[in-house]
Structure formats: C-alpha cells, structure tokens
Amino acid sequence: MKPKKGKGLRIQTGELKGRVIPSPVTPEGKSNFTPAIIKKSLFDILESLQLQGRLNLQDSAFIDMFAGSGQMGIESLSRGFARAVFLELAWDRYESLKGVLEKLGKPHLIMRKDALRFHSGLDIPETSKVYFMDPPYSFWEKKTQKLRTVVDEIIQNEPGTAAIIIQSPTPLDWEDFTSRSFGRNTLNVRILV
C-alpha cells in the first residue's frame, strides 16, 4: 500500500516563503514533522550567529539528517544557506523529497543513506556546516547512546562544524548542549563557533 500524502508544510521565511512542501504520511497514518515554533527558534539561533559574524550563511551547508519531508533543509536554502544536504533512508520519503528538490532548483545533495552510519566523510566543500538531527522519537528509547556517538564523531571529525541542533522528546543532558522545550518537543543546541 502506498503512503498517503499529507497536507504539506509551508516555508516560513526567505526567498521560498509560502511554498508548500508535501508532508508524506506513513502507511500507519502517522506523520513526523518539526513544528513551526521549533523551526522558528532554530533559525532565530542561526540568524543570531550570522548577525554576530560567527556564521556566514552564504558559505555554509545545512545538513538535514533524518530529512523526512526535507522542510528544515529547504527552509535553510530559502534563508540563504549555500547548500543543503539531505540524508533520508526511507525510500518513499527519499523519492518524494528528490522530486521537490528538483523543482526548486537550489543547490543540494540528497542521499538515500542511514544517517547513523553515513554522517561523516560527506563531500561538503562549504566552509561551515550546521547539522540538524530529528530522528524518529522511537529512536530515543533504544538508540540514545548511538545518537550521542554520532554527535561526538561529528564534533571530532568534521572541520567547520558551526552548530549541532537536535530535536528530541525531552531535554538532553549532554555536555555543552542547551535545551529549550516547546510542549512535547525540545530543541537541543551546541554552538561550536
């Protein structure tokens, strides 16, 4: 059975403001997407870094791990990032996102890869990188340590990493991360610049 299409997610700001991105729904009828308040808070943080001269969006890549609909990476392109990189393992979401990105004509790299295994060594020539992780909330029950290992590997092995931002169901008690909760969602941020 093919997954149903959801209503869609709207780009909030920038060049693509108002564009609707399809929000794929799983065969079980569930959709997982980043709420607008989280998206706004995340990009407010990055805009603040840019205003402080700590992040140049025009020479930065936004890495959208567990991309799903791709709304976060597409929002980053709308707001002036040089390129967005998308990692999505689910075939139907990958194909849907690939079609959306082709229509937008913005610089991107999309890979049908497991973000837990293929998060490093990517061909990203931009000077700075912002990593966004929004794994399925079910991952936090059994894969918290694996997610922490991925974050540590990015920090140690990926030069130019400016920030790592993680959406989770509860605040993470990880060193050098600050957390902001919005209802059932938490934004965990580590700034490295």
Side-chain angles (χ1 to χ4, degrees):
M1 180 164 79
K2 278 190 166 183
K4 298 179 240 172
K5 290 221 175 197
K7 291 179 183 174
L9 305 162
R10 198 167 295 279
I11 299 297
Q12 291 180 335
T13 302
E15 186 182 333
L16 303 172
K17 181 179 179 177
R19 292 283 274 280
V20 176
I21 303 165
S23 175
V25 177
T26 65
E28 298 83 32
K30 297 177 183 175
S31 66
N32 177 31
F33 59 89
T34 301
I37 187 78
I38 295 270
K39 185 166 33 171
K40 181 180 182 330
S41 182
L42 181 152
F43 285 103
D44 284 351
I45 291 165
L46 298 178
E47 185 178 306
S48 175
L49 290 175
Q50 182 180 22
L51 290 172
Q52 295 168 28
R54 297 165 67 190
L55 181 66
N56 177 4
L57 299 186
Q58 292 77 26
D59 195 23
S60 297
F62 187 93
I63 296 88
D64 192 352
M65 303 170 75
F66 309 95
S69 68
Q71 71 159 326
M72 298 302 283
I74 294 170
E75 185 79 34
S76 76
L77 291 170
S78 182
R79 291 174 182 248
F81 271 78
R83 184 163 56 131
V85 177
F86 302 87
L87 295 169
E88 176 53 53
L89 185 58
W91 184 256
D92 57 336
R93 289 177 183 249
Y94 167 81
E95 286 295 321
S96 174
L97 179 54
K98 190 171 146 188
V100 169
L101 291 168
E102 286 170 3
K103 289 176 188 169
L104 292 179
K106 292 280 191 186
H108 69 275
L109 173 63
I110 180 170
M111 295 177 285
R112 187 171 169 265
K113 300 270 187 193
D114 180 352
L116 295 176
R117 293 178 49 213
F118 297 98
H119 55 275
S120 61
L122 303 173
D123 182 20
I124 303 174
E126 286 77 15
T127 304
S128 298
K129 303 170 203 162
V130 172
Y131 285 84
F132 175 67
M133 296 174 64
D134 180 17
Y137 278 10
S138 60
F139 277 34
W140 293 104
E141 295 165 18
K142 296 181 180 174
K143 296 186 180 180
T144 302
Q145 187 53 50
K146 178 60 180 170
L147 292 165
R148 179 61 207 240
T149 299
V150 167
V151 167
D152 290 343
E153 288 173 0
I154 290 169
I155 291 168
Q156 292 169 11
N157 302 324
E158 295 302 316
T161 300
I164 298 175
I165 303 170
I166 304 167
Q167 183 178 328
S168 65
T170 57
L172 298 177
D173 185 24
W174 293 359
E175 186 179 350
D176 298 322
F177 275 85
T178 57
S179 301
R180 296 180 190 175
S181 293
F182 303 88
R184 299 180 331 205
N185 302 286
T186 301
L187 200 58
N188 304 277
V189 181
R190 180 164 178 188
I191 306 298
L192 297 148
V193 291

